[in-house]
Amino acid sequence: MEIEALIDDLIAREGGFVDHPADRGGPTRWGVTEAVARAAGYRGAMRDYPRSAAASLYRSRYWLAPRFDAVAARAPRLAAELFDTGVNMGTGVAARFLQRALIALNRQGRDFADIAVDGRIGPRTLAALAAFLDVRGERGEIVLLKAVEAMQGERYLRLAEQRPANEAFLYGWLANRLADPMEDGR
C-alpha cells in the first residue's frame, strides 16, 4: 500500500476536529494533536489545521523519519501497521514492538543475531527483518504483524487500567486500530 493511501485512510479514521475532555492530547484535527502541530510550526487554531499540513506531517514524521518506508520495501502490511501504531503511540514504540518480536522469533539467534531494542529502524533491524522473512516467507510477515498488534492491544488495555478516563477511548482504539476491517464490515 502506498503512503498516500495509508494517510488518506488514517485521516478518514481520525476525522476532523476533536477536543474530548478526557484526552490528554487536547484538541486534535485530522488526528494531529495541538502539541505536534505547534512543534511543526503551526500557529493557528486547531479547528483550522489544514488537511494538507497533516498529510505532510504524517509522511515526513511518521513514515520517512522512522524508516517505515524501508520496512515497506520487504513487508508492506507490517509497515502499514507500524505507521498506524507510530501515529497513535509514537514511532519509537512501534519500532520497539517490531524489534522485540524479531528477537523473540529468531530461534535463540539461529536465524539471525539479536538486535538492540532502541526504537530506531536502522541497518541491523532491517537486516534482521530480511533474514526473518527469508526464513519464514510471506507468512512470516503476518506473524510479525500479529505480534505487533498483540503488543499494541496489551498496551491499550494497560493504559485503560492505569487511567480510568482512558476507558472512554479503549473501544475505539481496539476497533479502529486492531479489528480486521473485513471482519466488521467496514
Side-chain angles (χ1 to χ4, degrees):
M1 188 175 249
E2 295 294 321
I3 185 56
E4 289 76 21
L6 292 174
I7 290 169
D8 287 345
D9 289 348
L10 176 71
I11 287 175
R13 200 169 47 251
E14 292 291 345
F17 179 76
V18 178
D19 191 8
H20 193 287
D23 189 349
R24 288 183 172 171
T28 66
R29 180 153 168 113
W30 313 121
V32 177
T33 65
E34 186 171 29
V36 169
R38 299 284 182 249
Y42 181 71
R43 298 292 169 242
M46 283 307 292
R47 285 187 185 281
D48 301 326
Y49 187 64
R51 186 189 188 286
S52 60
S56 177
L57 183 93
Y58 284 137
R59 183 177 298 100
S60 63
R61 184 172 177 169
Y62 296 93
W63 183 251
L64 297 173
R67 302 200 61 206
F68 296 152
D69 60 320
V71 172
R74 280 297 302 263
R77 291 172 287 198
L78 176 63
E81 181 61 39
L82 293 173
F83 168 71
D84 186 69
T85 302
V87 167
N88 192 246
M89 295 183 168
T91 58
V93 171
R96 282 190 294 278
F97 286 169
L98 171 61
Q99 291 164 333
R100 288 177 57 206
L102 285 167
I103 292 167
L105 291 165
N106 75 356
R107 296 189 298 165
Q108 298 179 331
R110 286 194 306 262
D111 294 335
F112 51 89
D114 283 349
I115 55 175
V117 179
D118 60 8
R120 293 184 302 241
I121 305 286
R124 289 190 176 118
T125 299
L126 293 171
L129 174 63
F132 176 79
L133 294 173
D134 287 346
V135 169
R136 296 297 185 177
E138 187 177 331
R139 183 134 173 92
E141 181 180 1
I142 301 302
V143 169
L144 280 175
L145 177 63
K146 295 299 181 186
V148 167
E149 288 174 339
M151 287 182 266
Q152 184 181 16
E154 190 283 328
R155 185 173 171 129
Y156 287 136
L157 290 169
R158 191 168 9 100
L159 288 170
E161 290 168 345
Q162 291 173 346
R163 182 174 177 258
N166 283 336
E167 289 181 13
F169 309 112
L170 182 60
Y171 182 86
W173 288 336
L174 295 172
N176 294 324
R177 294 270 183 326
L178 294 178
D180 185 340
M182 300 308 285
E183 292 173 3
D184 66 9
R186 285 191 310 182

